[in-house]
Amino acid sequence: MAFGQRYAAAAKKNTSSKEAAVVDIEASTRDLTTSVDFDDDHDKKYLLKRPTKSNTKTLVLFALALSLGFLSGWKDIASVARANTNVVTTKRDDVPYNDAWRHLANKQLRKVNKYGFTLNMNDLPEDWVDWGFSRIRRKFKCDDYVDNEVKPLPSIEYWHIIRDAYKKEVDSSFIFDDLVPPTQGYRFNEAGGPPYYAKVSESKDRGLFASRDIQKGEIVHDGTKSDVIFPDAMAWRRFVLALPRRAACDVTEWSWTQRLEEGGPMKILMGINISSLMNMGTPKQINAVPKSSTSSVFYATQDIKKGQEILTDYGIYETRFDLAGLGE
């Protein structure tokens, strides 16, 4: 469910930009080393500046590189030496490194597939551990993805990419029940999946539609059998940053915050299956909601005809990523 969208829309109003030729997370699969926008002055620290070495050291390194011929692309080395004499050192491998060197190195430090680029966690700025919900969305340029692209239904491969990242970064012991594939939901009861299916609607938005007539008061969706709960904000950060850009942006749309008991801590949840595609409706359109803000079981508030879209109220859960450790 796209509970993150309302939060992101509010945060979008407070962004500004400045141009800088640095490596950053881009909005497309084009080369990450091209010029990108800074979201605010605070983002300047993502340049990873280290203590400046002398210009002499730069020239020595340049001379050694040419004399030893350790790189066939000597023109690239020459341009590096000319581009920036402020040689810096990374914590990763303790070798001289500046923005121009970073331009070359990142070609080997990231992977690209049809779902966009995937970051190398070792190449992220040190303070990624403090990134909040809004900043992660800005870094992936998620508003562009959400607003400007007609998004297809997630394939089984797509869901497995997200599930694999969850098992790797959050809980390696978690077992997904594959008796019902994520493209069909989850095991709702002994008869199989939930009483809905996913499709792209006439408005070109992905959504859920009733696969049969559903009576008022009937359970439409049971999040206790579908949702994953993140232990903390750090687990969610690792998970999202391990995903290709398209999946990362989808996950920020499909994640929400919720207290699972009255007065309990705010948790981050999401469903790694089509249940995440449930859209919000107007007050007259809403036909499936939980009985309380601490519940994850959705009941039909009216009779729902077969083929009718299932619509909920995102406001039933308090959207407070800051209270879950993901502020800004």
Side-chain angles (χ1 to χ4, degrees):
M1 302 175 190
F3 296 110
Q5 190 170 1
R6 179 162 57 89
Y7 182 92
K12 183 178 179 182
K13 299 178 181 178
N14 299 320
T15 60
S16 60
S17 64
K18 293 185 178 180
E19 286 290 321
V22 298
V23 175
D24 204 343
I25 300 170
E26 285 279 31
S28 68
T29 57
R30 66 187 176 89
D31 195 340
L32 298 188
T33 59
T34 56
S35 179
V36 297
D37 291 340
F38 276 123
D39 295 305
D40 50 45
D41 290 339
H42 179 70
D43 284 339
K44 290 180 180 178
K45 65 184 179 181
Y46 299 155
L47 288 172
L48 295 180
K49 293 295 184 184
R50 300 286 188 272
T52 301
K53 307 297 182 183
S54 67
N55 292 348
T56 301
K57 187 170 183 178
T58 302
L59 296 174
V60 170
L61 288 170
F62 172 66
L64 285 174
L66 291 178
S67 61
L68 294 177
F70 72 96
L71 286 177
S72 59
W74 59 271
K75 291 182 179 179
D76 283 336
I77 300 173
S79 65
V80 166
R82 291 194 301 267
N84 191 343
T85 57
N86 295 326
V87 178
V88 295
T89 302
T90 64
K91 295 183 69 175
R92 182 173 60 253
D93 51 13
D94 201 32
V95 297
Y97 210 56
N98 59 21
D99 286 342
W101 277 95
R102 166 176 281 224
H103 181 110
L104 299 175
N106 267 275
K107 294 180 181 179
Q108 306 300 323
L109 292 173
R110 62 185 175 90
K111 298 179 180 179
V112 177
N113 61 31
K114 61 184 178 182
Y115 301 121
F117 59 83
T118 301
L119 300 177
N120 184 309
M121 297 292 283
N122 292 328
D123 197 47
L124 288 176
E126 289 182 353
D127 65 347
W128 71 268
V129 297
D130 298 320
W131 288 4
F133 180 84
S134 295
R135 180 156 291 136
I136 288 174
R137 281 183 58 90
R138 292 199 300 270
K139 289 302 174 183
F140 276 111
K141 301 287 192 286
C142 288
D143 287 336
D144 293 340
Y145 168 71
V146 172
D147 296 340
N148 300 330
E149 296 187 30
V150 176
K151 296 174 284 297
L153 291 178
S155 64
I156 190 69
E157 177 189 17
Y158 193 66
W159 288 120
H160 281 309
I161 287 173
I162 297 174
R163 287 184 170 191
D164 289 347
Y166 183 85
K167 289 178 69 70
K168 179 180 178 181
E169 302 296 339
V170 182
D171 185 356
S172 60
S173 65
F174 191 89
I175 299 175
F176 289 99
D177 186 349
D178 288 326
L179 291 178
V180 175
T183 50
Q184 298 177 24
Y186 55 95
R187 184 155 57 158
F188 181 71
N189 53 33
E190 293 303 318
Y196 52 71
Y197 60 93
K199 77 170 186 178
V200 178
S201 66
E202 293 180 358
S203 64
K204 300 188 183 303
D205 193 14
R206 300 173 293 188
L208 299 179
F209 297 80
S211 56
R212 58 172 174 80
D213 289 344
I214 301 173
Q215 295 182 348
K216 180 179 179 179
E218 190 176 341
I219 295 177
V220 178
H221 166 65
D222 188 349
T224 64
K225 300 176 181 178
S226 164
D227 304 338
V228 296
I229 304 170
F230 292 86
D232 51 43
M234 184 59 69
W236 189 87
R237 284 190 194 93
R238 290 197 310 269
F239 167 64
V240 175
L241 293 173
L243 292 168
R245 182 244 181 177
R246 194 175 115 190
C249 290
D250 274 335
V251 164
T252 66
E253 289 291 303
W254 299 338
S255 299
W256 70 93
T257 59
Q258 180 184 354
R259 299 185 193 277
L260 301 179
E261 59 183 7
E262 289 294 336
M266 192 69 77
K267 293 291 188 179
I268 307 168
L269 296 84
M270 75 167 289
I272 310 183
N273 56 67
I274 61 168
S275 67
S276 289
L277 303 180
M278 190 183 297
N279 289 318
M280 181 174 178
T282 65
K284 290 185 177 180
Q285 293 174 326
I286 292 170
N287 53 25
V289 295
K291 292 184 176 180
S292 73
S293 61
T294 59
S295 174
S296 299
V297 180
F298 288 59
Y299 294 85
T301 59
Q302 55 182 272
D303 290 342
I304 304 173
K305 296 295 184 181
K306 181 179 179 179
Q308 183 179 345
E309 185 168 9
I310 296 171
L311 298 167
T312 190
D313 178 8
Y314 290 168
I316 198 70
Y317 298 135
E318 188 179 9
T319 307
R320 292 294 302 274
F321 284 96
D322 58 323
L323 297 182
L326 287 172
E328 271 303 294

